[in-house]
Amino acid sequence: MSELDDRLNEGRAAIATMGPAADLWARVVEHSTSADAAVLDATTARRGRRPSLWLAVAAVVALIALVGTLALRDDEHSIETVPVGPGRASTTTSEEQLVATFPIPVVFDLPDAWTLIEQDSFYRLGIGPISGLPQNRIEFVVPEEAADAEEALAHLEAQAPAPLALGEPIHPTIGGASATCMDVEAADDGPRAPLFHLRPSHGDDPPEDRELTLEEGAAGRVCVVDARGFEGEAPLVVLVQAPAGALAAFLEEAEALLDDLELGERARRG
Amino acid sequence: VQDAGVVGEAVEADRAREVFEAQHLRLWRAVAVWSGSSEVADEAVAETFAQLVRRGDAVRDPAAWAWRTSFRIAAAELQRRRGQVRYEVHEVSLPEVQSELVLDLMRALQRLSEQQRACVVVCDLLGYSAEEAGPLLHTSAATVRVQRMRARRRLRSLLEVKDV
C-alpha cells in the first residue's frame, strides 16, 4: 500500500464522520413545494451571473444562460428549469434559466423533460430529452482543430466523402450569428465517427473522450457558428444527432430550440 | 375522494424519499468533499431531490440521476460563488479535531480538475468501483479509471508522497 493510499484511507475515515444538515429532507420538501417563490429573478440573475472580469480576462469561462426573458413560448411548449443551483427551484414558467459552464455564453430554452446530459467542465455542453432514445442530443463544443469558422468548415470538408458524408450546406443564423449547417452521416457502417476534438482550456487535462463524435448508426446535422463577437473568440460547433431513422423528427425539436438560442450577451467589440 | 393529482404527488414524493434514504448520505459526502463546502452540499442535495419529486416518473434511474444532478448543481453554485468570494476549503465541516494530513488532502483535492476530483472522491474516498462510479458521474468506467489514475498522480505530487 502506498503512502498516498494511507492518506486517502485517513481521509476516508474522516469523511465517514461527516453528515448533512439534520433537516435535509425538510429542505427537499420545502424546495419541492415552493417553486414559485424560488424562481430566480431574471434581473438579479443577469447581474449576479454576468461574466466577471475574471471570465473576460481568462477568456475561458463560464456561461450564463438566461432564458426567461428571451422568448414567449407556445402554450404546448412548456418549459422546465434544469439545475441552476441551490435555491433556484425548477418550475414551469417563462422565467426559465439555465446556467452551465462553457467558453461561449449560450442561452436557450430547455424544453420540458430535457436535461443537461453532458457538462463536462469546459469542453462540451450536451442537452437532450430525459427519456427516449439516448442518442438524441444536441452538443455544443469548441473545436481544437480550428481557430475560426472557416477553419472548422475546412476541417469538416476535408473528412468528406470519407469518413464523413456531408450534405449540401445551408446558411441559417443561430443565436444571431451566421452559421453553416450540413447533414452528416458516417460514410461507412462502422464505429463512432469523430468530427472534431474538443479544445482543452484552463490547463486541465482534457477529458478522455474528447471527441465530438457521430454515434454508430446515427445521422446528424452539424453547424459551424461564427461566434466572433459573442464573448468567445472561437467557432462554436453544434451537432444535432439521432439514430438515422429518427433524425427528422428530432431535428424539428432541435431546430425549435436552436431558433430561439442566443449567444449570451454580445461582447462589446474593441 | 382524494384528488388524483395529490395522490400522484404523494407517490412521487415517496419514491424520491426512498432514493433519498438510500443515497443521500454518501451523495452528500461526495458533493461536500468535491465542492469543499458543506453548505453547497446541503443545498445541492436538497435541490436535487426536490427536482426528483417534481420530475417523478420522467427519471428512469433516479439514483444515478440524483448523483449527476447534485454535482451539476454544486458546480453551478461554485461557479457563481467564485465570482463573488474567495472560496475556502475549510468550509467543509470536518470534525474539529482533525489531522493536518487530512486537511492537506482536502486542499489538494481542490486543485484537481472537476472530473478528476469527482473520480477520486467517489472511488478512493467513498469506495465505489470504476464500474459503479461511471453511471453516477455520467461517464464510462474507462474514463473513471483514467481520470482517477491522473488524479492520483497529481495528488502524489501535491502531497509530496511516493509509492512504496
Side-chain angles (χ1 to χ4, degrees):
Chain A
M1 179 168 291
S2 71
E3 191 177 344
L4 177 60
D5 285 319
D6 290 340
R7 298 287 288 274
L8 288 167
N9 284 338
E10 194 173 351
R12 197 170 176 166
I15 289 164
T17 66
M18 295 166 58
D23 65 343
L24 195 58
W25 180 253
R27 291 192 202 188
V28 172
V29 173
E30 183 184 352
H31 283 210
S32 66
T33 57
S34 61
D36 290 342
V39 171
L40 185 63
D41 174 74
T43 307
T44 305
R46 192 180 293 278
R47 190 185 307 120
R49 293 164 179 263
R50 189 182 208 110
S52 66
L53 180 61
W54 172 72
L55 304 182
V57 171
V60 247
V61 195
L63 102 94
I64 298 171
L66 304 168
V67 175
T69 55
L70 299 183
L72 292 173
R73 307 289 293 188
D74 295 338
D75 288 341
E76 71 273 16
H77 204 131
S78 65
I79 299 167
E80 184 182 14
T81 41
V82 294
V84 296
R88 281 123 202 153
S90 170
T91 182
T92 300
T93 172
S94 61
E95 294 290 303
E96 169 81 359
Q97 326 244 347
L98 165 65
V99 175
T101 304
F102 194 70
I104 300 173
V106 178
V107 180
F108 52 84
D109 294 338
L110 198 67
D112 191 21
W114 279 44
T115 190
L116 276 172
I117 54 176
E118 179 93 44
Q119 186 198 337
D120 192 353
S121 357
F122 303 97
Y123 308 103
R124 187 201 315 257
L125 174 65
I127 58 176
I130 292 171
S131 56
L133 297 167
Q135 298 96 328
N136 289 6
R137 61 177 181 261
I138 305 175
E139 288 163 284
F140 302 83
V141 306
V142 175
E144 184 177 33
E145 289 88 349
D148 56 32
E150 284 185 9
E151 287 185 11
L153 284 170
H155 177 80
L156 269 179
E157 287 163 356
Q159 298 178 79
L164 297 177
L166 298 175
E168 287 297 312
I170 55 174
H171 302 283
T173 60
I174 293 180
S178 61
T180 301
C181 297
M182 291 174 280
D183 291 338
V184 60
E185 288 185 40
D188 302 308
D189 291 339
R192 294 150 44 115
L195 278 68
F196 290 99
H197 288 86
L198 314 188
R199 181 180 296 187
S201 59
H202 272 304
D204 290 340
D205 291 329
E208 193 62 19
D209 54 344
R210 52 190 291 265
E211 294 173 339
L212 176 65
T213 59
L214 200 59
E215 297 291 341
E216 189 173 349
R221 179 166 296 169
V222 60
C223 297
V224 175
V225 183
D226 186 351
R228 284 175 295 186
F230 291 84
E231 296 188 22
E233 293 299 324
L236 173 67
V237 173
V238 182
L239 176 63
V240 180
Q241 69 172 301
L247 181 64
F250 185 62
L251 264 180
E252 286 187 23
E253 292 181 75
E255 286 174 348
L257 186 149
L258 294 174
D259 283 346
D260 287 339
L261 178 146
E262 288 195 2
L263 293 179
E265 298 172 82
R266 298 187 185 192
R268 294 179 186 277
R269 290 179 180 273
Chain B
V1 178
Q2 260 189 305
D3 180 80
V6 174
V7 173
E9 287 171 13
V11 170
E12 286 162 7
D14 285 349
R15 178 170 176 252
R17 182 66 189 259
E18 284 179 19
V19 181
F20 176 87
E21 293 298 343
Q23 300 290 333
H24 84 279
L25 192 54
R26 286 209 284 184
L27 172 57
W28 183 91
R29 286 170 179 162
V31 176
V33 175
W34 179 84
S35 69
S37 169
S38 304
E39 184 185 348
V40 167
D42 281 344
E43 288 299 321
V45 173
E47 176 59 20
T48 294
F49 282 96
Q51 292 200 21
L52 186 59
V53 170
R54 288 195 292 272
R55 286 169 188 262
D57 290 341
V59 177
R60 285 177 297 183
D61 183 348
W65 183 90
W67 278 75
R68 294 195 296 269
T69 302
S70 288
F71 277 103
R72 286 174 187 146
I73 292 176
E77 177 60 10
L78 288 179
Q79 193 70 58
R80 189 180 70 80
R81 289 181 175 210
R82 280 170 181 145
Q84 297 173 347
V85 294
R86 189 168 189 283
Y87 179 67
E88 297 289 348
V89 71
H90 60 62
E91 287 182 32
V92 176
S93 55
L94 289 165
E96 286 186 11
V97 180
Q98 198 54 250
S99 158
E100 190 62 31
L101 292 177
V102 171
L103 295 177
D104 284 346
L105 173 64
M106 298 298 161
R107 294 186 190 105
L109 287 171
Q110 300 305 316
R111 297 178 64 181
L112 303 178
S113 71
E114 290 183 359
Q115 193 177 40
Q116 287 178 5
R117 187 162 69 246
C119 291
V120 82
V121 166
V122 171
C123 292
D124 290 284
L125 296 178
L126 290 168
Y128 286 93
S129 67
E131 285 70 22
E132 292 168 329
L136 304 182
L137 301 176
H138 196 47
T139 189
S140 64
T143 299
V144 170
R145 280 191 285 271
V146 169
Q147 295 293 4
R148 180 171 168 251
M149 181 187 70
R150 291 177 176 170
R152 289 173 62 93
R153 190 166 58 211
R154 182 101 196 272
L155 281 175
R156 284 189 197 97
S157 170
L158 291 168
L159 296 170
E160 297 179 342
V161 298
K162 295 176 182 173
D163 277 334
V164 177

